[in-house]
């Protein structure tokens, strides 16, 4: 959780420097989300109320920082990420993370045009897809070889 918070602080600063206020606002709310989730026990983390509160805050942030139709993408990405953290199934979390990364990519292509975002999104998508498709096959082969 600490690394995720540091990452979101970095993204917040990055987007402020680029004057990308919709993404900065979503990043700031992600920092708050991590602090809230860190301070709550597992049962409360999965509360539907917290999920709805954060999704609502992301949408409000998009409205307050509106610059174009693309201003919705950081809020959508952060909402999907929050839902991904809320879901209990790791496979579903990874699938949702891919869609959240594509929302970030759309915003980056149309608004921020940041090389670091391209790299970050590429790593996120690659990691999620690897863990969804490649890693299970490798794990299965390893388990089969140990059973012999």
């Amino acid at each position: 959780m600490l690394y995720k918070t540091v990452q979101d602080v970095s993204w917040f600063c990055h987007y402020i420097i680029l004057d990308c206020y919709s993404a900065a606002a979503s990043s700031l709310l992600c920092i708050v989300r991590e602090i809230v989730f860190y301070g709550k026990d597992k049962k409360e983390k999965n509360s539907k109320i917290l999920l709805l509160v954060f999704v609502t805050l992301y949408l409000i942030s998009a409205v307050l920082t509106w610059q174009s139709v693309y201003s919705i993408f950081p809020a959508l990405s952060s909402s999907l990420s929050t839902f991904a953290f809320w879901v209990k199934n790791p496979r579903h979390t990874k699938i949702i993370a891919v869609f959240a990364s594509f929302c970030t990519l759309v915003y980056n292509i149309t608004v921020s045009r940041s090389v670091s975002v391209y790299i970050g999104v590429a790593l996120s998508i690659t990691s999620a897809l690897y863990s969804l498709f490649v890693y299970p096959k490798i794990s299965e082969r390893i388990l089969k070889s140990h059973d012999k």
Side-chain angles (χ1 to χ4, degrees):
M1 191 67 84
L2 175 64
Y3 295 119
K4 178 69 175 124
T5 305
V6 169
Q7 176 191 27
D8 287 330
V9 169
S10 298
W11 285 125
F12 172 74
C13 294
H14 179 79
Y15 285 124
I16 286 292
I17 291 168
L18 294 175
D19 294 329
C20 298
Y21 299 113
S22 294
S26 286
S27 295
L28 184 61
L29 286 170
C30 287
I31 295 165
V32 172
R33 176 191 66 201
E34 268 94 52
I35 292 168
V36 168
F37 281 10
Y38 183 76
K40 301 290 182 189
D41 65 66
K42 186 71 173 167
K43 184 177 181 182
E44 290 181 74
K45 281 185 197 176
N46 290 323
S47 164
K48 288 180 184 176
I49 294 170
L50 278 178
L51 176 65
L52 292 174
V53 165
F54 278 104
V55 169
T56 302
L57 289 173
Y58 292 127
L59 293 175
I60 291 170
S61 76
V63 169
L64 294 176
T65 60
W66 191 267
Q67 293 175 325
S68 72
V69 69
Y70 299 106
S71 297
I72 196 69
F73 282 94
L76 183 56
S77 176
S78 296
S79 295
L80 286 169
S81 294
T82 301
F83 184 70
F85 294 139
W86 182 78
V87 170
K88 294 178 185 176
N89 183 319
R91 182 167 175 74
H92 293 153
T93 297
K94 292 166 189 166
I95 292 168
I96 296 166
V98 170
F99 287 103
S101 293
F102 278 115
C103 290
T104 302
L105 184 62
V106 168
Y107 183 78
N108 191 58
I109 289 169
T110 57
V111 179
S112 68
R113 297 178 184 94
S114 168
V115 172
S116 61
V117 175
Y118 288 126
I119 293 168
V121 168
L123 290 172
S124 294
I125 292 172
T126 301
S127 173
L129 292 176
Y130 177 85
S131 66
L132 282 168
F133 299 110
V134 178
Y135 182 75
K137 291 177 182 177
I138 293 171
S139 297
E140 187 177 309
R141 281 188 218 140
I142 292 170
L143 289 174
K144 284 181 182 178
S145 69
H146 285 290
D147 289 341
K148 290 180 180 180

